[in-house]
Amino acid sequence: MTVRERLRLTPERAALLVRVLQLVMIAILVAGVWYGRPGVVVNGGIALLVTQLPALFERRYAFTMNEMLVLWITLSMFLHAFGTLPLPGLDFLTPYKAVWWWDHVTHTFSSSLVAAVGYATARALDVHTDAVTFPPTFMFAYLLLFMMAFGVVWELLEFYVGVVSQLLGIPGILTQYGLEDTILDLAYDTVGALLVATIGTAYLTDVSDQLAERLSSRTP
C-alpha cells in the first residue's frame, strides 16, 4: 500500500490541498507586508515561488510531476514559510523559535527535496547512457554524501546571510542558533536523505524517466 493510499489522498484531494497551502502562504506574505516583517516577506515570497515551479515546468517544458510530489514540495515550503510567522498563541514568537522540533521537521522535509533532486538526476543519467551504472548500494551512499555536502554548504550560506541581514537591519531572513543547532540540522538533513533513499524513490521514477528522455533528445 502506497503512502497516498494510506492517507486516502486522491489526485483531486492532493491538488486541492496544494491550492489551500498556497493560499495560506499568500496570506503569510500579506501578513508580513502588513506588519512590516521583511523576514516573513522574503521567506514567504520565495516559498510561494518555489511551489509554482511544478506548474511552470509543465506549461513550458511539458514536464509533469505526480500530485504527491507536488504536495511534497508545497508542504515543505509551507512549513518553512509558516515557521517564520510570529503567532499570538506563541507570545508572538515564530514556530522556529517557540517550537523545539519545528526546525528539525523543516530540515527533514527540505533535505528530502534536495536528495530527491540528486536521486532523480543520477537515475536519469543511469537510464540515459550505458557508460555509467549506479547500483542500489552506490545510490544509497551517493544520496547520503550528496545531502551531507549540500547541508554543509547550506549552513555556511545560512550563517553569512544571517550576518549580512543583521548588518542591513533586516533580521529574520535566515538564522543560526549555534554549533549545536548546526550539528542537529546536518543530522536531520541525513534523515531526509534516508527517507528518499528508502521510500521516496518510488515517487521519483517518472521524473527520472522524463529527464532521461530530454537528455536523449538533446544528444546528437
Side-chain angles (χ1 to χ4, degrees):
M1 182 178 290
T2 64
V3 175
R4 185 178 69 185
E5 290 170 341
R6 290 179 184 275
L7 297 177
R8 298 180 181 178
L9 268 179
T10 64
E12 293 75 18
R13 288 180 178 177
L16 177 61
L17 186 52
V18 167
R19 294 290 177 264
V20 170
L21 292 175
Q22 288 174 330
L23 287 174
V24 176
M25 280 189 277
I26 292 174
I28 291 171
L29 181 59
V30 171
V33 173
W34 182 266
Y35 291 106
R37 297 273 186 167
V40 176
V41 173
V42 172
N43 286 286
I46 292 175
L48 188 60
L49 285 174
V50 171
T51 67
Q52 303 302 312
L53 292 179
L56 176 64
F57 288 160
E58 184 172 2
R59 286 196 305 269
R60 295 196 61 178
Y61 307 108
F63 188 93
T64 60
M65 301 182 191
N66 68 61
E67 66 282 351
M68 286 300 292
L69 183 55
V70 175
L71 180 57
W72 185 4
I73 294 170
T74 305
L75 182 57
S76 175
M77 293 299 101
F78 167 77
L79 289 173
H80 175 64
F82 189 77
T84 65
L85 186 67
L87 298 173
L90 300 177
D91 294 328
F92 289 97
L93 293 174
T94 67
Y96 270 119
K97 292 183 178 180
V99 182
W100 67 268
W101 47 262
W102 194 273
D103 187 47
H104 305 329
V105 171
T106 56
H107 261 275
T108 301
F109 266 88
S110 300
S111 63
S112 68
L113 287 180
V114 175
V117 172
Y119 170 83
T121 303
R123 187 180 179 279
L125 289 172
D126 192 10
V127 173
H128 167 65
T129 177
D130 294 331
V132 295
T133 301
F134 299 144
T137 303
F138 171 85
M139 190 68 77
F140 188 87
Y142 156 76
L143 282 177
L144 293 182
L145 292 174
F146 176 82
M147 193 58 247
M148 288 300 293
F150 185 90
V152 170
V153 173
W154 176 258
E155 292 300 320
L156 290 172
L157 178 64
E158 193 175 67
F159 172 78
Y160 286 113
V161 169
V163 170
V164 172
S165 64
Q166 289 291 337
L167 291 175
L168 295 176
I170 312 176
I173 296 178
L174 289 176
T175 306
Q176 274 197 331
Y177 299 98
L179 181 60
E180 182 179 353
D181 177 70
T182 298
I183 298 301
L184 282 173
D185 287 348
L186 293 174
Y188 282 95
D189 288 345
T190 305
V191 172
L194 286 171
L195 287 174
V196 172
T198 54
I199 64 173
T201 53
Y203 299 97
L204 300 168
T205 300
D206 183 59
V207 173
S208 300
D209 291 342
Q210 291 183 71
L211 284 174
E213 288 177 7
R214 279 154 180 75
L215 288 173
S216 298
S217 65
R218 291 173 180 270
T219 301

